[in-house]
């Protein structure tokens, strides 16, 4: 099976997200160690866990999307679709990575710390961009299947 360049990019993005999930899982293991033991990290495991979960889910969806791109676009996916997908994932995972390192969950809508609200807003925008790209892809799949 020969893959197109857009498929290569989306599949690579999925593999990067899966690698990030594996790395986050390793850090979560060390964050869950008992305090004051040699292997314990001084980080909260909850934000690392949400980074791991998001990386795993989005990575698997990206692998599936990369394989199914020809069903949605016969020639090649539009460059803006691939760019929007990459930008949305970049924003989302940069926010989740910073939240994991800083010990924040990035879900606080109202918080006296201004950065917590900004992290939540960035996370929501990242999710909206990614979901928007997935909806465009699903719409193209639906139209392709109906035709």
């Amino acid at each position: 099976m020969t893959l197109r360049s857009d498929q290569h990019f989306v599949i690579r993005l999925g593999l990067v997200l899966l690698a990030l999930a594996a790395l986050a899982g390793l850090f979560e293991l060390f964050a869950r160690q008992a305090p004051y033991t040699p292997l314990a990290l001084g980080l909260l495991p909850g934000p690392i866990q949400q980074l791991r979960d998001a990386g795993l889910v989005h990575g698997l969806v990206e692998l599936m999307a990369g394989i199914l791109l020809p069903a949605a676009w016969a020639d090649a996916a539009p460059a803006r679709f691939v760019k929007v997908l990459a930008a949305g994932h970049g924003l989302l995972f940069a926010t989740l990575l910073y939240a994991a390192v800083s010990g924040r969950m990035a879900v606080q809508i109202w918080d006296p710390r201004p950065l917590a609200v900004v992290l939540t807003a960035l996370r929501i925008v990242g999710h909206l961009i990614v979901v928007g790209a997935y909806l465009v892809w699903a719409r193209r799949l639906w139209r392709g299947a109906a035709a």
Side-chain angles (χ1 to χ4, degrees):
M1 176 178 169
T2 305
L3 297 176
R4 304 181 318 211
S5 63
D6 57 341
Q7 288 180 284
H8 276 286
F9 183 83
V10 173
I11 289 172
R12 278 190 209 119
L13 179 61
L15 292 175
V16 166
L17 293 176
L18 288 174
L20 179 64
L23 190 61
L26 183 65
F27 277 105
E28 181 188 0
L29 174 71
F30 290 116
R32 291 194 184 275
Q33 298 300 309
Y36 307 110
T37 60
L39 298 177
L41 287 178
L43 299 173
L44 294 173
I48 300 171
Q49 178 184 353
Q50 76 178 0
L51 174 66
R52 176 186 48 90
D53 292 345
L56 181 63
V57 168
H58 284 273
L60 291 174
V61 170
E62 286 304 303
L63 290 178
M64 184 179 66
I67 292 170
L68 293 177
L69 275 180
W73 288 282
D75 295 333
R80 69 175 176 210
F81 168 78
V82 176
K83 289 177 186 176
V84 165
L85 195 61
H89 278 104
L91 176 63
L92 175 61
F93 282 94
T95 303
L96 288 175
L97 185 61
Y98 181 78
V101 170
S102 64
R104 295 183 172 101
M105 293 294 288
V107 294
Q108 297 298 321
I109 295 173
W110 182 259
D111 196 299
R113 301 167 295 175
L115 184 60
V117 177
V118 171
L119 281 175
T120 303
L122 289 174
R123 181 179 182 174
I124 290 170
V125 169
H127 274 298
L128 288 175
I129 292 170
V130 170
V131 167
Y134 286 155
L135 287 175
V136 168
W137 171 60
R139 183 176 176 215
R140 291 291 302 201
L141 279 176
W142 182 263
R143 283 186 175 177

